[in-house]
Amino acid sequence: MDLTVVMLMICQAVVLQLVNCVGTEDGSSVVMKCEELQIGQYTCIKEIDPDTQEIMNCNKNRTAEVSCETVTGLTCDSDQGSNMTMFKRREPCIYTNGKSHRTAVLLSIFLGMLGADRFYLGYHAIGLLKFCTMGLLFVGQFVDFILIATQVVGPADGSDYVMGSTPRFSRMWVDNETYFHSSDL
């Protein structure tokens, strides 16, 4: 099959996916904006941190910069340059600061009446209150154990726990912006 026919087919497939597509002057490749590439038109290399099992260099804004490469016959333009096959992309990630969920739960069980769990998570005032009142007469220790075990209370800086082999809970919210399909009602 002729290369121009293949490029035309790629360009038509891209147009069908509602992405701007223009051929290059020599007709050898398809050029698009890197931000508009669809899944399957590029692959990203994500380095995983062995301690947290998350993408390396995850920022507090919960994104990490990863290197990506376009598929054969496709180049892209971005602020980093034009006619590129390699480009950088921001990917969502889970930001952790090293606080282990397992450690927080164990501290809550065994030393929760002394506020060690809250000190560990960075809530120093509540930890001091629990220390002075023996875990708010052990009621606070029980409540904190439930809150920490269900991941309602996390590290004070807003980061997530390092989970290890424990499953991570994700909360789902329903508000005025939530769309319900008519068959769900």
Short mmCIF file of all heavy atoms in Angstrom, two decimals, residues 104-121 123-148 153:
data_model
loop_
_atom_site.label_atom_id
_atom_site.label_comp_id
_atom_site.label_asym_id
_atom_site.label_seq_id
_atom_site.Cartn_x
_atom_site.Cartn_y
_atom_site.Cartn_z
N ALA A 104 -0.29 4.44 60.78
CA ALA A 104 -1.29 5.29 61.43
C ALA A 104 -2.35 4.46 62.14
O ALA A 104 -2.77 4.78 63.26
CB ALA A 104 -1.94 6.21 60.40
N VAL A 105 -2.79 3.35 61.51
CA VAL A 105 -3.80 2.49 62.15
C VAL A 105 -3.21 1.81 63.38
O VAL A 105 -3.86 1.76 64.44
CB VAL A 105 -4.33 1.44 61.14
CG1 VAL A 105 -5.16 0.38 61.84
CG2 VAL A 105 -5.15 2.13 60.07
N LEU A 106 -1.99 1.31 63.29
CA LEU A 106 -1.37 0.66 64.45
C LEU A 106 -1.15 1.64 65.59
O LEU A 106 -1.37 1.31 66.77
CB LEU A 106 -0.06 -0.02 64.04
CG LEU A 106 -0.21 -1.26 63.16
CD1 LEU A 106 1.15 -1.76 62.70
CD2 LEU A 106 -0.96 -2.35 63.89
N LEU A 107 -0.72 2.86 65.28
CA LEU A 107 -0.57 3.88 66.33
C LEU A 107 -1.92 4.22 66.95
O LEU A 107 -2.01 4.45 68.16
CB LEU A 107 0.08 5.14 65.75
CG LEU A 107 1.57 5.08 65.50
CD1 LEU A 107 2.04 6.33 64.76
CD2 LEU A 107 2.33 4.92 66.80
N SER A 108 -2.96 4.24 66.15
CA SER A 108 -4.29 4.54 66.67
C SER A 108 -4.78 3.44 67.61
O SER A 108 -5.41 3.73 68.63
CB SER A 108 -5.27 4.72 65.51
OG SER A 108 -6.53 5.07 65.98
N ILE A 109 -4.47 2.19 67.29
CA ILE A 109 -4.92 1.08 68.15
C ILE A 109 -4.15 1.06 69.46
O ILE A 109 -4.74 1.00 70.54
CB ILE A 109 -4.74 -0.27 67.41
CG1 ILE A 109 -5.72 -0.38 66.26
CG2 ILE A 109 -4.92 -1.44 68.38
CD1 ILE A 109 -5.46 -1.56 65.34
N PHE A 110 -2.81 1.10 69.37
CA PHE A 110 -2.00 0.87 70.57
C PHE A 110 -1.64 2.13 71.34
O PHE A 110 -1.49 2.07 72.57
CB PHE A 110 -0.73 0.10 70.19
CG PHE A 110 -1.02 -1.27 69.66
CD1 PHE A 110 -0.78 -1.59 68.34
CD2 PHE A 110 -1.57 -2.24 70.48
CE1 PHE A 110 -1.07 -2.85 67.84
CE2 PHE A 110 -1.86 -3.51 69.99
CZ PHE A 110 -1.61 -3.82 68.67
N LEU A 111 -1.48 3.26 70.67
CA LEU A 111 -1.08 4.49 71.37
C LEU A 111 -2.05 5.65 71.10
O LEU A 111 -1.70 6.80 71.30
CB LEU A 111 0.34 4.89 70.96
CG LEU A 111 1.44 3.90 71.31
CD1 LEU A 111 2.76 4.34 70.71
CD2 LEU A 111 1.56 3.76 72.82
N GLY A 112 -3.25 5.32 70.65
CA GLY A 112 -4.23 6.35 70.34
C GLY A 112 -4.66 7.14 71.55
O GLY A 112 -4.98 8.34 71.44
N MET A 113 -4.69 6.52 72.73
CA MET A 113 -5.08 7.25 73.94
C MET A 113 -4.06 8.32 74.32
O MET A 113 -4.39 9.27 75.01
CB MET A 113 -5.33 6.29 75.11
CG MET A 113 -4.09 5.76 75.79
SD MET A 113 -3.14 4.55 74.88
CE MET A 113 -4.12 3.11 75.03
N LEU A 114 -2.85 8.21 73.80
CA LEU A 114 -1.82 9.21 74.05
C LEU A 114 -1.69 10.20 72.89
O LEU A 114 -0.82 11.08 72.92
CB LEU A 114 -0.47 8.53 74.29
CG LEU A 114 -0.43 7.56 75.48
CD1 LEU A 114 0.91 6.87 75.55
CD2 LEU A 114 -0.73 8.30 76.77
N GLY A 115 -2.50 10.05 71.86
CA GLY A 115 -2.50 10.98 70.73
C GLY A 115 -1.38 10.75 69.73
O GLY A 115 -1.14 11.59 68.87
N ALA A 116 -0.70 9.59 69.80
CA ALA A 116 0.43 9.33 68.91
C ALA A 116 -0.01 9.29 67.45
O ALA A 116 0.73 9.73 66.56
CB ALA A 116 1.11 8.02 69.29
N ASP A 117 -1.23 8.80 67.19
CA ASP A 117 -1.72 8.75 65.82
C ASP A 117 -1.88 10.15 65.23
O ASP A 117 -1.51 10.41 64.09
CB ASP A 117 -3.03 7.98 65.74
CG ASP A 117 -4.09 8.49 66.73
OD1 ASP A 117 -3.76 9.32 67.61
OD2 ASP A 117 -5.25 8.04 66.63
N ARG A 118 -2.42 11.06 66.02
CA ARG A 118 -2.62 12.44 65.53
C ARG A 118 -1.28 13.18 65.41
O ARG A 118 -1.10 13.97 64.49
CB ARG A 118 -3.57 13.20 66.45
CG ARG A 118 -5.00 12.72 66.38
CD ARG A 118 -5.58 12.98 65.01
NE ARG A 118 -6.98 12.66 64.95
CZ ARG A 118 -7.89 13.36 64.32
NH1 ARG A 118 -7.54 14.43 63.65
NH2 ARG A 118 -9.14 12.99 64.32
N PHE A 119 -0.35 12.94 66.33
CA PHE A 119 0.98 13.54 66.19
C PHE A 119 1.65 13.03 64.90
O PHE A 119 2.26 13.82 64.17
CB PHE A 119 1.88 13.20 67.39
CG PHE A 119 1.62 14.06 68.60
CD1 PHE A 119 1.12 13.50 69.76
CD2 PHE A 119 1.88 15.42 68.57
CE1 PHE A 119 0.89 14.28 70.88
CE2 PHE A 119 1.65 16.21 69.67
CZ PHE A 119 1.15 15.64 70.84
N TYR A 120 1.54 11.74 64.62
CA TYR A 120 2.14 11.15 63.43
C TYR A 120 1.56 11.77 62.16
O TYR A 120 2.29 12.03 61.21
CB TYR A 120 1.90 9.63 63.44
CG TYR A 120 2.37 8.92 62.20
CD1 TYR A 120 3.73 8.75 61.94
CD2 TYR A 120 1.46 8.42 61.28
CE1 TYR A 120 4.17 8.09 60.80
CE2 TYR A 120 1.89 7.75 60.13
CZ TYR A 120 3.24 7.59 59.90
OH TYR A 120 3.67 6.95 58.77
N LEU A 121 0.26 12.03 62.14
CA LEU A 121 -0.38 12.59 60.95
C LEU A 121 -0.21 14.10 60.83
O LEU A 121 -0.55 14.67 59.80
CB LEU A 121 -1.87 12.23 60.94
CG LEU A 121 -2.16 10.74 60.78
CD1 LEU A 121 -3.65 10.47 60.90
CD2 LEU A 121 -1.62 10.24 59.44
N TYR A 123 -1.46 16.46 63.19
CA TYR A 123 -2.48 17.21 63.94
C TYR A 123 -2.01 17.33 65.39
O TYR A 123 -2.49 16.63 66.28
CB TYR A 123 -3.83 16.50 63.87
CG TYR A 123 -4.37 16.33 62.48
CD1 TYR A 123 -4.23 15.12 61.81
CD2 TYR A 123 -5.02 17.36 61.85
CE1 TYR A 123 -4.73 14.96 60.53
CE2 TYR A 123 -5.54 17.21 60.57
CZ TYR A 123 -5.39 16.00 59.91
OH TYR A 123 -5.90 15.84 58.66
N HIS A 124 -1.08 18.25 65.63
CA HIS A 124 -0.43 18.34 66.93
C HIS A 124 -1.36 18.81 68.04
O HIS A 124 -1.27 18.33 69.17
CB HIS A 124 0.81 19.23 66.84
CG HIS A 124 1.79 18.74 65.81
ND1 HIS A 124 2.49 17.57 65.94
CD2 HIS A 124 2.15 19.25 64.61
CE1 HIS A 124 3.26 17.39 64.89
NE2 HIS A 124 3.06 18.40 64.05
N ALA A 125 -2.26 19.73 67.77
CA ALA A 125 -3.17 20.24 68.80
C ALA A 125 -4.13 19.14 69.27
O ALA A 125 -4.34 18.97 70.48
CB ALA A 125 -3.96 21.44 68.28
N ILE A 126 -4.69 18.38 68.34
CA ILE A 126 -5.59 17.29 68.72
C ILE A 126 -4.80 16.19 69.43
O ILE A 126 -5.29 15.57 70.38
CB ILE A 126 -6.33 16.74 67.48
CG1 ILE A 126 -7.21 17.83 66.87
CG2 ILE A 126 -7.18 15.53 67.84
CD1 ILE A 126 -7.86 17.46 65.57
N GLY A 127 -3.57 15.94 68.99
CA GLY A 127 -2.72 14.96 69.66
C GLY A 127 -2.44 15.36 71.10
O GLY A 127 -2.48 14.52 72.00
N LEU A 128 -2.19 16.63 71.33
CA LEU A 128 -1.95 17.11 72.70
C LEU A 128 -3.20 17.00 73.54
O LEU A 128 -3.14 16.61 74.71
CB LEU A 128 -1.45 18.56 72.65
CG LEU A 128 -1.01 19.16 73.97
CD1 LEU A 128 0.17 18.37 74.55
CD2 LEU A 128 -0.62 20.62 73.79
N LEU A 129 -4.35 17.31 72.96
CA LEU A 129 -5.62 17.19 73.69
C LEU A 129 -5.87 15.73 74.06
O LEU A 129 -6.27 15.43 75.21
CB LEU A 129 -6.76 17.72 72.83
CG LEU A 129 -8.16 17.59 73.42
CD1 LEU A 129 -8.31 18.50 74.63
CD2 LEU A 129 -9.21 17.90 72.38
N LYS A 130 -5.63 14.81 73.15
CA LYS A 130 -5.81 13.39 73.45
C LYS A 130 -4.80 12.91 74.50
O LYS A 130 -5.14 12.09 75.35
CB LYS A 130 -5.68 12.55 72.17
CG LYS A 130 -6.90 12.61 71.28
CD LYS A 130 -6.72 11.84 70.00
CE LYS A 130 -6.58 10.37 70.22
NZ LYS A 130 -6.51 9.60 68.95
N PHE A 131 -3.59 13.45 74.46
CA PHE A 131 -2.57 13.07 75.44
C PHE A 131 -2.98 13.51 76.83
O PHE A 131 -2.85 12.76 77.80
CB PHE A 131 -1.22 13.69 75.06
CG PHE A 131 -0.13 13.39 76.04
CD1 PHE A 131 0.49 12.14 76.05
CD2 PHE A 131 0.30 14.34 76.94
CE1 PHE A 131 1.50 11.86 76.95
CE2 PHE A 131 1.30 14.07 77.85
CZ PHE A 131 1.91 12.82 77.85
N CYS A 132 -3.50 14.73 76.97
CA CYS A 132 -3.86 15.27 78.28
C CYS A 132 -5.14 14.66 78.85
O CYS A 132 -5.35 14.71 80.07
CB CYS A 132 -4.03 16.79 78.19
SG CYS A 132 -2.49 17.64 77.84
N THR A 133 -6.00 14.09 78.02
CA THR A 133 -7.29 13.56 78.49
C THR A 133 -7.40 12.05 78.31
O THR A 133 -8.51 11.52 78.33
CB THR A 133 -8.45 14.24 77.74
OG1 THR A 133 -8.31 13.96 76.35
CG2 THR A 133 -8.48 15.72 77.99
N MET A 134 -6.29 11.37 78.11
CA MET A 134 -6.27 9.92 77.87
C MET A 134 -7.21 9.55 76.73
O MET A 134 -8.09 8.71 76.85
CB MET A 134 -6.64 9.13 79.13
CG MET A 134 -5.52 8.89 80.10
SD MET A 134 -4.10 8.10 79.36
CE MET A 134 -4.49 6.40 79.59
N GLY A 135 -6.99 10.18 75.60
CA GLY A 135 -7.78 9.86 74.40
C GLY A 135 -9.22 10.28 74.53
O GLY A 135 -10.10 9.59 74.03
N LEU A 136 -9.45 11.43 75.20
CA LEU A 136 -10.82 11.91 75.48
C LEU A 136 -11.62 10.79 76.15
O LEU A 136 -12.72 10.45 75.75
CB LEU A 136 -11.50 12.40 74.20
CG LEU A 136 -10.79 13.57 73.50
CD1 LEU A 136 -11.41 13.81 72.15
CD2 LEU A 136 -10.86 14.82 74.36
N LEU A 137 -11.00 10.24 77.20
CA LEU A 137 -11.56 9.12 77.98
C LEU A 137 -11.84 7.91 77.09
O LEU A 137 -12.88 7.26 77.21
CB LEU A 137 -12.81 9.56 78.73
CG LEU A 137 -12.57 10.71 79.73
CD1 LEU A 137 -13.88 11.12 80.35
CD2 LEU A 137 -11.57 10.31 80.79
N PHE A 138 -10.92 7.63 76.20
CA PHE A 138 -10.92 6.47 75.29
C PHE A 138 -12.00 6.53 74.20
O PHE A 138 -11.98 5.73 73.30
CB PHE A 138 -11.02 5.15 76.06
CG PHE A 138 -9.83 4.88 76.93
CD1 PHE A 138 -9.87 5.15 78.30
CD2 PHE A 138 -8.66 4.38 76.38
CE1 PHE A 138 -8.77 4.91 79.09
CE2 PHE A 138 -7.56 4.13 77.18
CZ PHE A 138 -7.61 4.41 78.54
N VAL A 139 -12.92 7.47 74.29
CA VAL A 139 -13.92 7.62 73.23
C VAL A 139 -13.25 8.20 71.98
O VAL A 139 -13.49 7.75 70.86
CB VAL A 139 -15.10 8.51 73.69
CG1 VAL A 139 -16.05 8.80 72.54
CG2 VAL A 139 -15.83 7.87 74.85
N GLY A 140 -12.38 9.18 72.18
CA GLY A 140 -11.65 9.79 71.06
C GLY A 140 -10.74 8.79 70.38
O GLY A 140 -10.54 8.85 69.17
N GLN A 141 -10.18 7.87 71.15
CA GLN A 141 -9.31 6.85 70.57
C GLN A 141 -10.13 5.96 69.64
O GLN A 141 -9.71 5.66 68.51
CB GLN A 141 -8.66 6.00 71.65
CG GLN A 141 -7.80 4.89 71.07
CD GLN A 141 -7.26 3.94 72.11
OE1 GLN A 141 -7.65 3.99 73.26
NE2 GLN A 141 -6.35 3.07 71.70
N PHE A 142 -11.32 5.54 70.06
CA PHE A 142 -12.16 4.68 69.24
C PHE A 142 -12.62 5.42 67.97
O PHE A 142 -12.58 4.86 66.87
CB PHE A 142 -13.38 4.20 70.05
CG PHE A 142 -14.31 3.35 69.25
CD1 PHE A 142 -13.96 2.07 68.88
CD2 PHE A 142 -15.54 3.85 68.87
CE1 PHE A 142 -14.82 1.29 68.13
CE2 PHE A 142 -16.41 3.07 68.12
CZ PHE A 142 -16.05 1.78 67.75
N VAL A 143 -13.05 6.67 68.13
CA VAL A 143 -13.51 7.47 66.98
C VAL A 143 -12.36 7.67 66.00
O VAL A 143 -12.53 7.52 64.79
CB VAL A 143 -14.09 8.81 67.45
CG1 VAL A 143 -14.33 9.75 66.29
CG2 VAL A 143 -15.38 8.58 68.23
N ASP A 144 -11.18 8.01 66.50
CA ASP A 144 -10.02 8.20 65.62
C ASP A 144 -9.63 6.91 64.91
O ASP A 144 -9.22 6.94 63.74
CB ASP A 144 -8.83 8.75 66.40
CG ASP A 144 -8.82 10.27 66.43
OD1 ASP A 144 -9.69 10.87 65.78
OD2 ASP A 144 -7.95 10.83 67.10
N PHE A 145 -9.73 5.78 65.61
CA PHE A 145 -9.42 4.51 64.95
C PHE A 145 -10.35 4.30 63.75
O PHE A 145 -9.89 3.95 62.66
CB PHE A 145 -9.55 3.33 65.92
CG PHE A 145 -9.54 2.00 65.23
CD1 PHE A 145 -8.39 1.52 64.65
CD2 PHE A 145 -10.71 1.26 65.11
CE1 PHE A 145 -8.38 0.30 63.98
CE2 PHE A 145 -10.72 0.05 64.45
CZ PHE A 145 -9.55 -0.43 63.89
N ILE A 146 -11.65 4.55 63.93
CA ILE A 146 -12.60 4.38 62.83
C ILE A 146 -12.28 5.36 61.71
O ILE A 146 -12.27 5.00 60.52
CB ILE A 146 -14.05 4.59 63.33
CG1 ILE A 146 -14.42 3.55 64.38
CG2 ILE A 146 -15.04 4.58 62.16
CD1 ILE A 146 -14.41 2.12 63.90
N LEU A 147 -12.01 6.63 62.04
CA LEU A 147 -11.74 7.65 61.02
C LEU A 147 -10.46 7.36 60.24
O LEU A 147 -10.40 7.56 59.03
CB LEU A 147 -11.67 9.04 61.66
CG LEU A 147 -12.97 9.58 62.23
CD1 LEU A 147 -12.72 10.91 62.93
CD2 LEU A 147 -14.02 9.72 61.15
N ILE A 148 -9.43 6.88 60.93
CA ILE A 148 -8.16 6.59 60.26
C ILE A 148 -8.28 5.30 59.45
O ILE A 148 -7.80 5.22 58.32
CB ILE A 148 -7.01 6.53 61.29
CG1 ILE A 148 -6.74 7.93 61.83
CG2 ILE A 148 -5.75 5.95 60.66
CD1 ILE A 148 -5.80 7.97 63.01
N VAL A 153 -9.70 10.49 57.84
CA VAL A 153 -8.65 11.39 58.33
C VAL A 153 -7.34 10.93 57.71
O VAL A 153 -6.95 9.76 57.83
CB VAL A 153 -8.56 11.36 59.86
CG1 VAL A 153 -7.35 12.12 60.36
CG2 VAL A 153 -9.83 11.91 60.47
#
